[in-house]
mmCIF file of all heavy atoms in Angstrom:
data_model
loop_
_atom_site.group_PDB
_atom_site.id
_atom_site.type_symbol
_atom_site.label_atom_id
_atom_site.label_comp_id
_atom_site.label_asym_id
_atom_site.label_seq_id
_atom_site.Cartn_x
_atom_site.Cartn_y
_atom_site.Cartn_z
ATOM 1 N N HIS A 1 59.352 94.921 -66.077
ATOM 2 C CA HIS A 1 58.683 94.790 -64.777
ATOM 3 C C HIS A 1 58.546 93.311 -64.416
ATOM 4 O O HIS A 1 58.817 92.915 -63.274
ATOM 5 C CB HIS A 1 57.314 95.465 -64.787
ATOM 6 C CG HIS A 1 57.373 96.933 -65.024
ATOM 7 N ND1 HIS A 1 58.087 97.800 -64.219
ATOM 8 C CD2 HIS A 1 56.821 97.699 -65.989
ATOM 9 C CE1 HIS A 1 57.965 99.033 -64.675
ATOM 10 N NE2 HIS A 1 57.200 98.995 -65.752
ATOM 11 N N ALA A 2 58.133 92.504 -65.367
ATOM 12 C CA ALA A 2 57.983 91.069 -65.124
ATOM 13 C C ALA A 2 59.347 90.428 -64.847
ATOM 14 O O ALA A 2 59.480 89.590 -63.954
ATOM 15 C CB ALA A 2 57.307 90.402 -66.314
ATOM 16 N N TRP A 3 60.356 90.828 -65.598
ATOM 17 C CA TRP A 3 61.708 90.283 -65.417
ATOM 18 C C TRP A 3 62.215 90.570 -64.004
ATOM 19 O O TRP A 3 62.746 89.678 -63.333
ATOM 20 C CB TRP A 3 62.641 90.886 -66.459
ATOM 21 C CG TRP A 3 64.041 90.371 -66.397
ATOM 22 C CD1 TRP A 3 65.114 90.954 -65.778
ATOM 23 C CD2 TRP A 3 64.537 89.167 -66.976
ATOM 24 N NE1 TRP A 3 66.233 90.189 -65.944
ATOM 25 C CE2 TRP A 3 65.909 89.081 -66.678
ATOM 26 C CE3 TRP A 3 63.939 88.154 -67.723
ATOM 27 C CZ2 TRP A 3 66.697 88.019 -67.104
ATOM 28 C CZ3 TRP A 3 64.744 87.097 -68.157
ATOM 29 C CH2 TRP A 3 66.098 87.045 -67.832
ATOM 30 N N ASP A 4 62.051 91.797 -63.574
ATOM 31 C CA ASP A 4 62.531 92.170 -62.245
ATOM 32 C C ASP A 4 61.777 91.419 -61.147
ATOM 33 O O ASP A 4 62.376 91.027 -60.137
ATOM 34 C CB ASP A 4 62.437 93.674 -62.028
ATOM 35 C CG ASP A 4 63.522 94.432 -62.784
ATOM 36 O OD1 ASP A 4 64.319 93.799 -63.519
ATOM 37 O OD2 ASP A 4 63.562 95.670 -62.644
ATOM 38 N N ALA A 5 60.493 91.186 -61.341
ATOM 39 C CA ALA A 5 59.736 90.386 -60.371
ATOM 40 C C ALA A 5 60.346 88.988 -60.274
ATOM 41 O O ALA A 5 60.485 88.433 -59.176
ATOM 42 C CB ALA A 5 58.265 90.310 -60.771
ATOM 43 N N GLY A 6 60.736 88.448 -61.418
ATOM 44 C CA GLY A 6 61.394 87.138 -61.423
ATOM 45 C C GLY A 6 62.726 87.156 -60.704
ATOM 46 O O GLY A 6 63.060 86.221 -59.971
ATOM 47 N N LEU A 7 63.496 88.232 -60.899
ATOM 48 C CA LEU A 7 64.783 88.351 -60.197
ATOM 49 C C LEU A 7 64.579 88.412 -58.690
ATOM 50 O O LEU A 7 65.335 87.792 -57.919
ATOM 51 C CB LEU A 7 65.542 89.595 -60.674
ATOM 52 C CG LEU A 7 66.037 89.597 -62.116
ATOM 53 C CD1 LEU A 7 66.706 90.932 -62.445
ATOM 54 C CD2 LEU A 7 66.996 88.439 -62.367
ATOM 55 N N LEU A 8 63.573 89.154 -58.252
ATOM 56 C CA LEU A 8 63.276 89.240 -56.823
ATOM 57 C C LEU A 8 62.902 87.863 -56.267
ATOM 58 O O LEU A 8 63.365 87.472 -55.187
ATOM 59 C CB LEU A 8 62.153 90.247 -56.572
ATOM 60 C CG LEU A 8 62.535 91.711 -56.776
ATOM 61 C CD1 LEU A 8 61.292 92.579 -56.919
ATOM 62 C CD2 LEU A 8 63.407 92.205 -55.630
ATOM 63 N N LEU A 9 62.102 87.125 -57.009
ATOM 64 C CA LEU A 9 61.706 85.791 -56.555
ATOM 65 C C LEU A 9 62.880 84.815 -56.568
ATOM 66 O O LEU A 9 62.969 83.942 -55.694
ATOM 67 C CB LEU A 9 60.556 85.260 -57.400
ATOM 68 C CG LEU A 9 59.220 85.949 -57.155
ATOM 69 C CD1 LEU A 9 58.175 85.488 -58.167
ATOM 70 C CD2 LEU A 9 58.740 85.728 -55.733
ATOM 71 N N GLU A 10 63.781 84.957 -57.530
ATOM 72 C CA GLU A 10 64.978 84.109 -57.569
ATOM 73 C C GLU A 10 65.794 84.228 -56.288
ATOM 74 O O GLU A 10 66.411 83.269 -55.846
ATOM 75 C CB GLU A 10 65.873 84.503 -58.749
ATOM 76 C CG GLU A 10 65.708 83.689 -59.970
ATOM 77 C CD GLU A 10 66.707 84.082 -61.061
ATOM 78 O OE1 GLU A 10 67.625 84.899 -60.836
ATOM 79 O OE2 GLU A 10 66.547 83.554 -62.159
ATOM 80 N N VAL A 11 65.808 85.413 -55.724
ATOM 81 C CA VAL A 11 66.544 85.645 -54.483
ATOM 82 C C VAL A 11 65.731 85.174 -53.280
ATOM 83 O O VAL A 11 66.259 84.519 -52.375
ATOM 84 C CB VAL A 11 66.903 87.147 -54.332
ATOM 85 C CG1 VAL A 11 67.485 87.438 -52.959
ATOM 86 C CG2 VAL A 11 67.866 87.574 -55.426
ATOM 87 N N ALA A 12 64.459 85.496 -53.240
ATOM 88 C CA ALA A 12 63.653 85.269 -52.044
ATOM 89 C C ALA A 12 63.166 83.831 -51.867
ATOM 90 O O ALA A 12 63.110 83.338 -50.734
ATOM 91 C CB ALA A 12 62.451 86.218 -52.051
ATOM 92 N N VAL A 13 62.808 83.152 -52.932
ATOM 93 C CA VAL A 13 62.232 81.809 -52.795
ATOM 94 C C VAL A 13 63.196 80.827 -52.134
ATOM 95 O O VAL A 13 62.801 80.100 -51.210
ATOM 96 C CB VAL A 13 61.695 81.289 -54.146
ATOM 97 C CG1 VAL A 13 61.372 79.801 -54.080
ATOM 98 C CG2 VAL A 13 60.465 82.080 -54.564
ATOM 99 N N PRO A 14 64.463 80.755 -52.543
ATOM 100 C CA PRO A 14 65.368 79.819 -51.862
ATOM 101 C C PRO A 14 65.494 80.090 -50.354
ATOM 102 O O PRO A 14 65.604 79.152 -49.567
ATOM 103 C CB PRO A 14 66.714 80.034 -52.563
ATOM 104 C CG PRO A 14 66.353 80.565 -53.907
ATOM 105 C CD PRO A 14 65.129 81.405 -53.684
ATOM 106 N N VAL A 15 65.446 81.360 -49.961
ATOM 107 C CA VAL A 15 65.500 81.710 -48.540
ATOM 108 C C VAL A 15 64.250 81.198 -47.838
ATOM 109 O O VAL A 15 64.329 80.589 -46.761
ATOM 110 C CB VAL A 15 65.658 83.240 -48.362
ATOM 111 C CG1 VAL A 15 65.554 83.633 -46.898
ATOM 112 C CG2 VAL A 15 66.975 83.714 -48.961
ATOM 113 N N ALA A 16 63.098 81.423 -48.438
ATOM 114 C CA ALA A 16 61.838 80.988 -47.837
ATOM 115 C C ALA A 16 61.737 79.465 -47.776
ATOM 116 O O ALA A 16 61.199 78.911 -46.811
ATOM 117 C CB ALA A 16 60.662 81.570 -48.618
ATOM 118 N N LEU A 17 62.271 78.771 -48.780
ATOM 119 C CA LEU A 17 62.214 77.307 -48.799
ATOM 120 C C LEU A 17 62.998 76.673 -47.649
ATOM 121 O O LEU A 17 62.702 75.552 -47.232
ATOM 122 C CB LEU A 17 62.739 76.768 -50.132
ATOM 123 C CG LEU A 17 61.804 76.906 -51.320
ATOM 124 C CD1 LEU A 17 62.519 76.539 -52.609
ATOM 125 C CD2 LEU A 17 60.553 76.060 -51.122
ATOM 126 N N LYS A 18 63.977 77.384 -47.141
ATOM 127 C CA LYS A 18 64.751 76.871 -46.005
ATOM 128 C C LYS A 18 63.952 76.924 -44.711
ATOM 129 O O LYS A 18 64.312 76.281 -43.730
ATOM 130 C CB LYS A 18 66.040 77.681 -45.840
ATOM 131 C CG LYS A 18 67.032 77.474 -46.958
ATOM 132 C CD LYS A 18 68.259 78.348 -46.766
ATOM 133 C CE LYS A 18 69.192 78.181 -47.953
ATOM 134 N NZ LYS A 18 70.342 79.080 -47.870
ATOM 135 N N LYS A 19 62.854 77.685 -44.727
ATOM 136 C CA LYS A 19 62.081 77.887 -43.498
ATOM 137 C C LYS A 19 60.729 77.207 -43.496
ATOM 138 O O LYS A 19 60.174 76.951 -42.430
ATOM 139 C CB LYS A 19 61.906 79.382 -43.245
ATOM 140 C CG LYS A 19 63.237 80.078 -43.045
ATOM 141 C CD LYS A 19 63.073 81.531 -42.745
ATOM 142 C CE LYS A 19 64.473 82.106 -42.527
ATOM 143 N NZ LYS A 19 64.476 83.476 -42.206
ATOM 144 N N ALA A 20 60.183 76.942 -44.685
ATOM 145 C CA ALA A 20 58.830 76.375 -44.704
ATOM 146 C C ALA A 20 58.530 75.734 -46.058
ATOM 147 O O ALA A 20 59.244 75.936 -47.036
ATOM 148 C CB ALA A 20 57.807 77.469 -44.405
ATOM 149 N N LYS A 21 57.447 74.991 -46.084
ATOM 150 C CA LYS A 21 57.010 74.287 -47.283
ATOM 151 C C LYS A 21 56.043 75.162 -48.079
ATOM 152 O O LYS A 21 55.135 75.774 -47.510
ATOM 153 C CB LYS A 21 56.318 72.989 -46.864
ATOM 154 C CG LYS A 21 55.906 72.123 -48.021
ATOM 155 C CD LYS A 21 55.275 70.838 -47.529
ATOM 156 C CE LYS A 21 54.833 70.034 -48.740
ATOM 157 N NZ LYS A 21 54.169 68.808 -48.358
ATOM 158 N N PRO A 22 56.212 75.213 -49.413
ATOM 159 C CA PRO A 22 55.298 76.002 -50.246
ATOM 160 C C PRO A 22 53.843 75.597 -50.009
ATOM 161 O O PRO A 22 53.539 74.445 -49.741
ATOM 162 C CB PRO A 22 55.729 75.659 -51.672
ATOM 163 C CG PRO A 22 57.156 75.270 -51.544
ATOM 164 C CD PRO A 22 57.263 74.570 -50.207
ATOM 165 N N GLY A 23 52.976 76.595 -50.096
ATOM 166 C CA GLY A 23 51.553 76.362 -49.908
ATOM 167 C C GLY A 23 51.090 76.548 -48.480
ATOM 168 O O GLY A 23 49.897 76.464 -48.209
ATOM 169 N N THR A 24 52.040 76.813 -47.591
ATOM 170 C CA THR A 24 51.672 76.994 -46.188
ATOM 171 C C THR A 24 51.721 78.468 -45.805
ATOM 172 O O THR A 24 52.373 79.281 -46.468
ATOM 173 C CB THR A 24 52.632 76.223 -45.262
ATOM 174 O OG1 THR A 24 53.948 76.796 -45.392
ATOM 175 C CG2 THR A 24 52.671 74.748 -45.599
ATOM 176 N N LYS A 25 51.036 78.776 -44.717
ATOM 177 C CA LYS A 25 51.078 80.139 -44.185
ATOM 178 C C LYS A 25 52.510 80.510 -43.807
ATOM 179 O O LYS A 25 52.959 81.623 -44.056
ATOM 180 C CB LYS A 25 50.164 80.257 -42.969
ATOM 181 C CG LYS A 25 50.167 81.629 -42.357
ATOM 182 C CD LYS A 25 49.291 81.690 -41.127
ATOM 183 C CE LYS A 25 49.372 83.099 -40.562
ATOM 184 N NZ LYS A 25 49.048 83.168 -39.168
ATOM 185 N N GLU A 26 53.233 79.562 -43.257
ATOM 186 C CA GLU A 26 54.624 79.809 -42.851
ATOM 187 C C GLU A 26 55.507 80.145 -44.056
ATOM 188 O O GLU A 26 56.386 80.999 -43.962
ATOM 189 C CB GLU A 26 55.182 78.587 -42.100
ATOM 190 C CG GLU A 26 54.533 78.336 -40.758
ATOM 191 C CD GLU A 26 53.172 77.641 -40.846
ATOM 192 O OE1 GLU A 26 52.831 77.083 -41.923
ATOM 193 O OE2 GLU A 26 52.428 77.680 -39.841
ATOM 194 N N PHE A 27 55.251 79.473 -45.183
ATOM 195 C CA PHE A 27 56.028 79.774 -46.382
ATOM 196 C C PHE A 27 55.732 81.189 -46.870
ATOM 197 O O PHE A 27 56.645 81.938 -47.229
ATOM 198 C CB PHE A 27 55.744 78.770 -47.504
ATOM 199 C CG PHE A 27 56.538 79.056 -48.754
ATOM 200 C CD1 PHE A 27 57.867 78.709 -48.850
ATOM 201 C CD2 PHE A 27 55.942 79.696 -49.835
ATOM 202 C CE1 PHE A 27 58.609 78.979 -49.986
ATOM 203 C CE2 PHE A 27 56.660 79.979 -50.981
ATOM 204 C CZ PHE A 27 58.011 79.616 -51.062
ATOM 205 N N ARG A 28 54.466 81.555 -46.894
ATOM 206 C CA ARG A 28 54.105 82.899 -47.338
ATOM 207 C C ARG A 28 54.750 83.952 -46.439
ATOM 208 O O ARG A 28 55.251 84.965 -46.921
ATOM 209 C CB ARG A 28 52.584 83.058 -47.395
ATOM 210 C CG ARG A 28 51.948 82.259 -48.540
ATOM 211 C CD ARG A 28 50.477 82.561 -48.707
ATOM 212 N NE ARG A 28 49.667 82.170 -47.574
ATOM 213 C CZ ARG A 28 49.219 80.943 -47.347
ATOM 214 N NH1 ARG A 28 49.502 79.979 -48.189
ATOM 215 N NH2 ARG A 28 48.471 80.680 -46.286
ATOM 216 N N GLU A 29 54.753 83.709 -45.154
ATOM 217 C CA GLU A 29 55.397 84.643 -44.223
ATOM 218 C C GLU A 29 56.910 84.688 -44.442
ATOM 219 O O GLU A 29 57.516 85.760 -44.410
ATOM 220 C CB GLU A 29 55.068 84.251 -42.779
ATOM 221 C CG GLU A 29 53.620 84.510 -42.412
ATOM 222 C CD GLU A 29 53.215 83.930 -41.068
ATOM 223 O OE1 GLU A 29 54.032 83.226 -40.417
ATOM 224 O OE2 GLU A 29 52.064 84.182 -40.656
ATOM 225 N N ALA A 30 57.505 83.529 -44.668
ATOM 226 C CA ALA A 30 58.952 83.469 -44.921
ATOM 227 C C ALA A 30 59.300 84.156 -46.244
ATOM 228 O O ALA A 30 60.331 84.839 -46.351
ATOM 229 C CB ALA A 30 59.425 82.022 -44.928
ATOM 230 N N LEU A 31 58.448 83.989 -47.246
ATOM 231 C CA LEU A 31 58.680 84.628 -48.540
ATOM 232 C C LEU A 31 58.598 86.146 -48.401
ATOM 233 O O LEU A 31 59.447 86.879 -48.924
ATOM 234 C CB LEU A 31 57.673 84.126 -49.579
ATOM 235 C CG LEU A 31 57.825 84.680 -50.986
ATOM 236 C CD1 LEU A 31 59.212 84.375 -51.565
ATOM 237 C CD2 LEU A 31 56.733 84.112 -51.891
ATOM 238 N N ARG A 32 57.607 86.605 -47.681
ATOM 239 C CA ARG A 32 57.482 88.048 -47.468
ATOM 240 C C ARG A 32 58.708 88.587 -46.733
ATOM 241 O O ARG A 32 59.277 89.606 -47.129
ATOM 242 C CB ARG A 32 56.217 88.374 -46.682
ATOM 243 C CG ARG A 32 56.054 89.855 -46.422
ATOM 244 C CD ARG A 32 54.801 90.149 -45.626
ATOM 245 N NE ARG A 32 54.704 91.568 -45.386
ATOM 246 C CZ ARG A 32 53.607 92.266 -45.493
ATOM 247 N NH1 ARG A 32 52.488 91.682 -45.837
ATOM 248 N NH2 ARG A 32 53.603 93.548 -45.250
ATOM 249 N N ALA A 33 59.127 87.899 -45.691
ATOM 250 C CA ALA A 33 60.309 88.333 -44.932
ATOM 251 C C ALA A 33 61.555 88.333 -45.818
ATOM 252 O O ALA A 33 62.381 89.254 -45.744
ATOM 253 C CB ALA A 33 60.508 87.441 -43.710
ATOM 254 N N ALA A 34 61.679 87.322 -46.665
ATOM 255 C CA ALA A 34 62.837 87.253 -47.567
ATOM 256 C C ALA A 34 62.813 88.406 -48.570
ATOM 257 O O ALA A 34 63.844 89.034 -48.838
ATOM 258 C CB ALA A 34 62.862 85.908 -48.280
ATOM 259 N N LEU A 35 61.645 88.689 -49.130
ATOM 260 C CA LEU A 35 61.531 89.813 -50.064
ATOM 261 C C LEU A 35 61.872 91.124 -49.371
ATOM 262 O O LEU A 35 62.588 91.967 -49.929
ATOM 263 C CB LEU A 35 60.121 89.883 -50.658
ATOM 264 C CG LEU A 35 59.797 88.846 -51.722
ATOM 265 C CD1 LEU A 35 58.297 88.766 -51.956
ATOM 266 C CD2 LEU A 35 60.551 89.143 -53.010
ATOM 267 N N GLU A 36 61.384 91.285 -48.152
ATOM 268 C CA GLU A 36 61.613 92.534 -47.421
ATOM 269 C C GLU A 36 63.052 92.708 -46.956
ATOM 270 O O GLU A 36 63.416 93.782 -46.473
ATOM 271 C CB GLU A 36 60.674 92.603 -46.211
ATOM 272 C CG GLU A 36 59.235 92.769 -46.609
ATOM 273 C CD GLU A 36 58.263 92.725 -45.445
ATOM 274 O OE1 GLU A 36 58.633 92.249 -44.357
ATOM 275 O OE2 GLU A 36 57.117 93.175 -45.644
ATOM 276 N N SER A 37 63.868 91.691 -47.145
ATOM 277 C CA SER A 37 65.274 91.800 -46.739
ATOM 278 C C SER A 37 66.226 91.940 -47.924
ATOM 279 O O SER A 37 67.443 92.012 -47.730
ATOM 280 C CB SER A 37 65.668 90.592 -45.889
ATOM 281 O OG SER A 37 65.696 89.423 -46.688
ATOM 282 N N ILE A 38 65.702 91.985 -49.127
ATOM 283 C CA ILE A 38 66.566 92.106 -50.311
ATOM 284 C C ILE A 38 67.193 93.494 -50.343
ATOM 285 O O ILE A 38 66.507 94.506 -50.281
ATOM 286 C CB ILE A 38 65.773 91.828 -51.604
ATOM 287 C CG1 ILE A 38 65.368 90.350 -51.647
ATOM 288 C CG2 ILE A 38 66.584 92.221 -52.836
ATOM 289 C CD1 ILE A 38 64.482 89.987 -52.809
ATOM 290 N N GLN A 39 68.495 93.518 -50.471
ATOM 291 C CA GLN A 39 69.248 94.773 -50.511
ATOM 292 C C GLN A 39 70.239 94.741 -51.673
ATOM 293 O O GLN A 39 70.937 93.743 -51.877
ATOM 294 C CB GLN A 39 70.018 94.987 -49.201
ATOM 295 C CG GLN A 39 69.123 95.152 -47.986
ATOM 296 C CD GLN A 39 68.331 96.439 -48.049
ATOM 297 O OE1 GLN A 39 68.904 97.531 -48.086
ATOM 298 N NE2 GLN A 39 67.015 96.323 -48.086
ATOM 299 N N GLY A 40 70.288 95.821 -52.430
ATOM 300 C CA GLY A 40 71.289 95.969 -53.481
ATOM 301 C C GLY A 40 71.113 95.082 -54.694
ATOM 302 O O GLY A 40 72.082 94.835 -55.412
ATOM 303 N N LEU A 41 69.902 94.616 -54.961
ATOM 304 C CA LEU A 41 69.676 93.768 -56.133
ATOM 305 C C LEU A 41 69.622 94.636 -57.386
ATOM 306 O O LEU A 41 68.686 95.409 -57.588
ATOM 307 C CB LEU A 41 68.379 92.963 -55.994
ATOM 308 C CG LEU A 41 68.017 92.096 -57.204
ATOM 309 C CD1 LEU A 41 69.072 91.011 -57.439
ATOM 310 C CD2 LEU A 41 66.644 91.491 -57.039
#
């Protein structure tokens, strides 16, 4: 379970970093959007 959470973050964090700076509301929103768009992992 922990490993898979890491795999999901490996995909989503780089996408979110292109849109906002960590620690901001915009980053959290971008991270959520990136997670919600993961397909076929």
Side-chain angles (χ1 to χ4, degrees):
H1 297 302
W3 182 263
D4 285 3
L7 293 177
L8 289 163
L9 288 172
E10 263 184 7
V11 172
V13 168
V15 173
L17 284 171
K18 292 178 184 176
K19 298 182 178 181
K21 184 178 178 182
T24 65
K25 179 182 179 203
E26 293 79 15
F27 180 78
R28 289 188 296 278
E29 290 171 355
L31 182 58
R32 179 181 179 137
L35 285 165
E36 291 175 343
S37 69
I38 292 175
Q39 296 293 299
L41 177 63

